[in-house]
Amino acid sequence: MEYTTLGNTGTTVSKLCFGTWRFGMTHGDTVETTREEAHDLLDAAWDHGINFIDTANVYGDPNGTSEEWIGEWLDDRDHDREDLVIASKVYFPFDGWGEPGPNDSGLGRKHIRAQIEGTLDRLGTDYLDLYYIHRWDENTPIRETLSVLTELVRDGKVRYLGASTMAAWQLTKALWTSDVEGLERFDVTQPMVNAAAYDAVGDYLDVCADQDLAVCPYSPLGGGFLTGKYERTDDGGVEAPDGSRGSLSEMFEDRYATDQAWDVLEAVESVAGDVDATPAQVSLRWLIEQDRFTCVPIVGARTPDQLEENVAAVELDLTADQFERIDEARQGDA
């Protein structure tokens, strides 16, 4: 494993982050990752040198399951807490304590204060290395949110602050408020970025580059699309293997059943053939080597074998020409 400094912080992390959003997640009668499987995956991440773990208070059914299983793993394996960088999030309604009440969501002082205590308790730790706001809260002034997050930093319960999905102007407003009010600012972001995605994150990433914010993309393989395991149907749709993300989510097909996405996949597969790697490894390396900002993809492997494949991306080297082929496919006819 190789390591990098997380943006403008003084913390060093592995060049891949292990994501745990599948832990305890259910689709009908299907549990994506059981407790035993979760612990096996955490063992594999540890063995591969991954020291950066990402979770959220709402991951799992019921909410809090992912954090609880990570905490149990830490206790069972007796790992030194200081050897790990752990991130969690707050915003969405939390059902881990029963039916959510009127203050059990958002980024107000009451909700954040309650949720950080629950998160720390489930993880069995005194502090988080990184605490993200999971979304932007239109109903709470950003100054209130940043004020309570600053208190958590100064209380020693949180080391750094992060921001997930939001508009570029919202991220800019938050950074400006921090600077003007003398509050802690966001150091890390978590947008959805991958070679085949075309969501409007360009301006957001420009802010990250300008402000030296680290970027930890979720869904770096497009929900499995960039692994090459999906087939294009005659009507332009996606044929997905049983149990895969594409078979579980209509949103997947809506996002990736485009000519441009298939062109990107073709370019990725071509480069993979050149370097004797898998499409997944090339896609992850394309993110790791972004040169405008520190980029640490969050991988959510389902099996230790998949994680081993992902980790091998750290050892790849892509030429400027290979990067350009992927970028040209992303741009399409633009």
Side-chain angles (χ1 to χ4, degrees):
M1 179 54 62
E2 295 179 358
Y3 299 86
T4 186
T5 302
L6 191 61
N8 201 32
T9 77
T11 295
T12 299
V13 297
S14 47
K15 287 194 173 181
L16 290 176
C17 176
F18 182 60
T20 65
W21 75 281
R22 284 193 177 114
F23 287 11
M25 177 186 291
T26 60
H27 295 277
D29 294 331
T30 301
V31 179
E32 288 213 27
T33 301
T34 66
R35 180 184 182 277
E36 182 179 356
E37 291 168 338
H39 285 192
D40 287 344
L41 283 163
L42 289 165
D43 284 339
W46 174 270
D47 291 341
H48 285 299
I50 294 177
N51 72 337
F52 193 7
I53 298 175
D54 180 86
T55 187
N57 63 332
V58 293
Y59 289 173
D61 298 316
N63 297 161
T65 299
S66 174
E67 292 177 330
E68 183 177 331
W69 289 355
I70 294 168
E72 291 171 352
W73 173 77
L74 283 168
D75 185 56
D76 289 345
R77 303 304 191 266
D78 198 28
H79 293 312
D80 188 336
R81 171 68 181 85
E82 293 304 316
D83 290 335
L84 291 159
V85 177
I86 301 176
S88 194
K89 310 177 189 71
V90 63
Y91 169 76
F92 288 111
F94 180 80
D95 69 13
W97 297 330
E99 187 68 23
N103 288 301
D104 287 340
S105 64
L107 298 175
R109 182 179 300 275
K110 186 175 180 65
H111 184 233
I112 291 176
R113 278 287 183 180
Q115 289 304 314
I116 187 63
E117 296 302 332
T119 285
L120 295 177
D121 182 63
R122 287 185 291 274
L123 287 168
T125 183
D126 295 329
Y127 71 96
L128 284 177
D129 296 280
L130 176 60
Y131 203 27
Y132 289 100
I133 61 169
H134 215 156
R135 292 293 186 271
W136 181 268
D137 185 355
E138 296 181 352
N139 298 313
T140 302
I142 188 59
R143 187 185 184 283
E144 176 176 334
T145 299
L146 289 168
S147 293
V148 68
L149 292 174
T150 296
E151 292 168 7
L152 297 183
V153 172
R154 295 175 183 174
D155 289 347
K157 294 183 177 182
V158 172
R159 298 292 189 257
Y160 299 106
L161 305 180
S164 189
T165 302
M166 64 181 65
W169 71 263
Q170 292 167 332
L171 179 58
T172 302
K173 180 178 180 178
L175 295 170
W176 177 85
T177 301
S178 294
D179 292 345
V180 170
E181 301 286 348
L183 301 170
E184 296 290 329
R185 73 197 318 257
F186 297 127
D187 287 303
V188 185
T189 61
Q190 191 178 128
M192 192 192 80
V193 181
N194 62 64
Y198 299 97
D199 289 349
V201 295
D203 290 344
Y204 183 100
L205 295 177
D206 288 342
V207 176
C208 296
D210 180 73
Q211 295 295 305
D212 198 17
L213 306 182
V215 178
C216 296
Y218 70 90
S219 196
L221 298 178
F225 179 81
L226 288 168
T227 66
K229 66 183 178 182
Y230 298 99
E231 299 290 339
R232 192 175 193 179
T233 61
D234 292 339
D235 61 0
V238 179
E239 183 176 341
D242 291 340
S244 64
R245 191 82 53 79
S247 69
L248 298 173
S249 171
E250 292 182 5
M251 182 179 68
F252 177 91
E253 186 163 341
D254 293 340
R255 177 171 290 155
Y256 294 111
T258 67
D259 290 340
Q260 205 164 10
W262 288 111
D263 288 345
V264 169
L265 178 58
E266 183 178 351
V268 166
E269 290 176 328
S270 173
V271 171
D274 291 348
V275 298
D276 193 24
T278 66
Q281 291 164 348
V282 170
S283 299
L284 290 171
R285 192 65 199 182
W286 179 83
L287 285 168
I288 291 170
E289 291 196 12
Q290 295 295 308
D291 60 5
R292 295 197 301 149
F293 41 73
T294 304
C295 190
V296 181
I298 301 172
V299 294
R302 282 179 150 182
T303 68
D305 286 345
Q306 287 182 353
L307 185 59
E308 183 176 8
E309 176 189 354
N310 293 165
V311 168
V314 174
E315 301 173 359
L316 279 184
D317 286 315
L318 301 183
T319 67
D321 174 70
Q322 289 163 344
F323 271 102
E324 186 176 347
R325 280 153 59 187
I326 296 172
D327 287 342
E328 286 179 352
R330 282 172 51 80
Q331 294 166 11
D333 297 327

